[in-house]
């Protein structure tokens, strides 16, 4: 079992950022950080920690809010 350093002062979604993953707790964290057990395959900044149910969750998929029709048409030429 590994441990995740969770930064309570860096909100992500409805929880907090996972800043570091270690094999054993190497130091006492600052008051705005905490160590939480995690799976061996968890990567820092790949998921966020949800304190309401003590789980790690995926970030939502990014959305493209700009349609291609909003972009100007180019012909590959340059006017100088």
């Amino acid at each position: 079992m590994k441990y995740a350093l969770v930064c309570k002062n860096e909100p992500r979604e409805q929880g907090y950022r996972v800043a570091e993953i270690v094999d054993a707790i190497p130091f006492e964290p600052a008051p705005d950080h905490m160590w939480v057990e995690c799976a061996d395959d968890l990567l820092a900044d790949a998921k966020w920690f949800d304190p309401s149910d003590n789980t790690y969750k995926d970030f939502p998929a990014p959305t493209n809010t700009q349609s291609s029709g909003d972009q100007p048409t180019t012909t590959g030429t340059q006017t100088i």
Side-chain angles (χ1 to χ4, degrees), residues 4-61:
L5 182 62
V6 175
C7 299
K8 295 187 281 185
N9 63 346
E10 294 185 54
R12 299 290 190 271
E13 304 307 315
Q14 292 82 30
Y16 307 110
R17 175 179 172 246
V18 174
E20 184 178 354
I21 306 295
V22 296
D23 291 325
I25 298 174
F27 57 87
E28 184 67 29
D32 56 351
H33 291 69
M34 65 181 171
W35 290 109
V36 182
E37 286 187 12
C38 67
D40 290 339
D41 61 348
L42 186 71
L43 299 173
D45 289 317
K47 294 183 183 264
W48 59 276
F49 178 73
D50 186 347
S52 68
D53 59 4
N54 291 330
T55 59
Y56 298 93
K57 298 184 177 174
D58 293 324
F59 289 103

